[in-house]
Amino acid sequence: YEIKECDWSSDVCSSDLAFLFFIMWPRPQQFILPQDHYNMGLSYTMGKKYNNAIMQFDNAIKLRTNYLKPIYMKGFCLLRQRKPRLAIREFEKVLKINPYYAKALKNTALAYGWYLKDKTKALYYLDRYLKLCPDDIEMLRIRQGLRSN
C-alpha cells in the first residue's frame, strides 16, 4: 500500500488514512469488534464512499444486532444515495429499538418530505422530532412550510 502526501481537502485522503490506521492496528480477525467496523464505516462516510460505508455498517450490525449507531448511519448513507425507502427502513429499525432517537426521527421526516413528498408522514415524524428538539429553527421552518402547502 503506497503512502502518499495528503492535501487535507481531498476526500480520498481521509479514507486512505483511516484505512492505514485500521490495518496498522494489529488485531486478529476473530477479535475485530463491532466498533471497529462502525469506525471504518464513519471514515468511508466522511469520504463519501457510501457503498463501502454501508458494508462496514452491515458488518458491525452482524456482530451486534441492536447496535443503533451503524443502523442509523446505514440509513444516513442510503439517504445520501437518494434511496429514501431503504433509508426509512433503517431509520424505523432504530426507532423500534429507541423511539426517542432524534436523528432518526429528523431524517425519516426529511426522507418522507423531500424525497417521497408524503406530507402526512413527514409531519408525523417531524412533530415527534420537535417534541425532543423544540429549538431546531430549521426544522420548525420546514414544518411550517409543510403545513402551509
Side-chain angles (χ1 to χ4, degrees):
Y1 193 81
E2 181 182 331
I3 297 177
K4 57 188 172 193
E5 194 169 322
C6 285
D7 101 91
W8 290 100
S9 62
S10 169
D11 287 340
V12 176
C13 181
S14 63
S15 61
D16 286 349
L17 287 175
F19 177 73
L20 281 175
F21 175 78
F22 189 73
I23 64 170
M24 289 171 44
W25 185 21
R27 188 176 287 191
Q29 184 67 31
Q30 68 267 26
F31 295 116
I32 293 178
L33 302 172
Q35 184 70 32
D36 298 328
H37 290 292
Y38 173 72
N39 289 337
M40 278 302 297
L42 287 179
S43 295
Y44 283 125
T45 302
M46 288 188 302
K48 298 181 182 178
K49 295 181 179 182
Y50 299 121
N51 288 330
N52 292 343
I54 289 168
M55 286 183 351
Q56 291 299 323
F57 295 136
D58 281 339
N59 289 336
I61 296 163
K62 284 178 192 172
L63 294 174
R64 192 168 136 203
T65 309
N66 290 334
Y67 190 10
L68 290 178
K69 290 179 182 180
I71 300 170
Y72 167 77
M73 286 305 299
K74 180 179 177 183
F76 177 84
C77 289
L78 289 165
L79 197 56
R80 291 288 181 153
Q81 291 180 319
R82 299 181 185 273
K83 298 176 181 176
R85 285 183 174 79
L86 295 175
I88 288 168
R89 187 180 312 157
E90 297 305 314
F91 296 143
E92 287 178 345
K93 288 178 189 177
V94 170
L95 295 170
K96 185 175 181 181
I97 298 166
N98 179 359
Y100 303 104
Y101 202 96
K103 291 179 186 177
L105 290 167
K106 179 179 180 176
N107 282 300
T108 304
L110 293 174
Y112 277 119
W114 282 351
Y115 292 100
L116 301 179
K117 308 298 183 206
D118 186 335
K119 290 181 190 178
T120 305
K121 287 186 179 179
L123 284 169
Y124 170 74
Y125 286 100
L126 197 52
D127 287 340
R128 286 179 58 192
Y129 169 76
L130 288 169
K131 284 180 185 175
L132 298 173
C133 305
D135 297 329
D136 188 333
I137 294 169
E138 178 186 1
M139 296 308 285
L140 285 166
R141 287 183 183 143
I142 289 172
R143 181 176 67 177
Q144 185 179 12
L146 284 170
R147 287 192 170 157
S148 66
N149 289 335

